[in-house]
Amino acid sequence: MKILLIGATGTLGRAVHAALRERGHEIVTASRTGSEISVDITDPDSIRAMYERAGRLDAVAGAAGGVPWKPFTELSAQDVRDGLTGKAFSQIELVRQGTARVAEDGSFTLISGVLVRDPLVRGSMASVANGAVEAFVRAAAIELPHRQRINAVSPTVFTESMDRYGDLFAGFEPVPVAMAANAYIRSIEGRQTGQVYEM
């Protein structure tokens, strides 16, 4: 399959890239920097240009999305907008524009995260944005055209990221990033839709 991987240079993106390539798929990489295609997923025009460069696809795998990390009482209205745009709107837009670019039996795999079900202090925007992504996946699954599918991967903190984020996720059981990469394989190569793969 020809798969567009967005966020290919991050910890998760690199693991997904390696897992998909090992299975013989053709991967087109996209991210802000360091990939075949440069994209700002918060900008619909940039997403449109990315799809035009990528050409016809069998699947889209999203592994990117940022949110502000601040105490709730310190969030500005712009922080809220940025969080929703960076993680939720951006991925919804990937799907909205992508339905015309992906094969009739193709798929979309989005990224959510553990904070939708297990919140942290300073992580309220992550919880909200992840919740929006998961709600969208379930709703879009019954509306996507043809036989297109959509799922989300919702991991906890990665073992490989504990040196940077371990203090934030104190007491959380980390998982290897390869586990999340396997969930992308399951979503892309399988036939399920409307699923959130938690780990």
Side-chain angles (χ1 to χ4, degrees):
M1 283 187 273
K2 183 180 178 183
I3 302 167
L4 175 62
L5 173 59
I6 300 136
T9 58
T11 300
L12 175 59
R14 291 192 305 271
V16 172
H17 187 272
L20 292 172
R21 187 176 53 198
E22 187 175 302
R23 296 184 64 79
H25 297 297
E26 176 188 354
I27 314 300
V28 179
T29 60
S31 57
R32 284 185 183 271
T33 58
S35 291
E36 297 168 64
I37 301 174
S38 176
V39 65
D40 175 359
I41 60 172
T42 67
D43 179 358
D45 290 337
S46 184
I47 290 174
R48 186 175 304 112
M50 173 191 70
Y51 275 127
E52 288 171 357
R53 283 196 59 191
R56 196 69 180 160
L57 300 162
D58 295 299
V60 174
V67 296
W69 282 82
K70 289 183 178 179
F72 174 73
T73 55
E74 295 179 15
L75 288 172
S76 66
Q78 190 59 51
D79 288 330
V80 174
R81 291 188 193 98
D82 289 346
L84 290 170
T85 298
K87 188 77 179 272
F89 167 81
S90 56
Q91 294 193 86
I92 293 168
E93 189 66 7
L94 288 174
V95 178
R96 191 188 71 80
Q97 292 195 35
T99 54
R101 310 278 183 168
V102 170
E104 290 190 355
D105 61 349
S107 70
F108 299 88
T109 306
L110 307 184
I111 183 66
S112 175
V114 68
L115 297 193
V116 71
R117 57 191 182 273
D118 204 350
L120 287 176
V121 173
R122 292 190 291 162
S124 58
M125 280 315 305
S127 295
V128 169
N130 288 341
V133 170
E134 294 187 11
F136 169 70
V137 163
R138 293 184 177 102
I142 64 172
E143 288 200 66
L144 287 180
H146 314 297
R147 298 183 309 280
Q148 290 177 349
R149 299 177 301 103
I150 183 168
N151 298 298
V153 176
S154 184
T156 186
V157 64
F158 298 129
T159 305
E160 294 83 353
S161 301
M162 285 299 284
D163 58 335
R164 285 180 293 164
Y165 302 118
D167 289 344
L168 282 173
F169 288 87
F172 281 64
E173 187 69 31
V175 298
V177 71
M179 184 180 291
N182 283 336
Y184 278 79
I185 293 170
R186 181 179 175 189
S187 175
I188 292 166
E189 295 186 7
R191 300 310 307 164
Q192 291 184 322
T193 190
Q195 302 298 304
V196 176
Y197 300 118
E198 298 179 359
M199 63 210 65

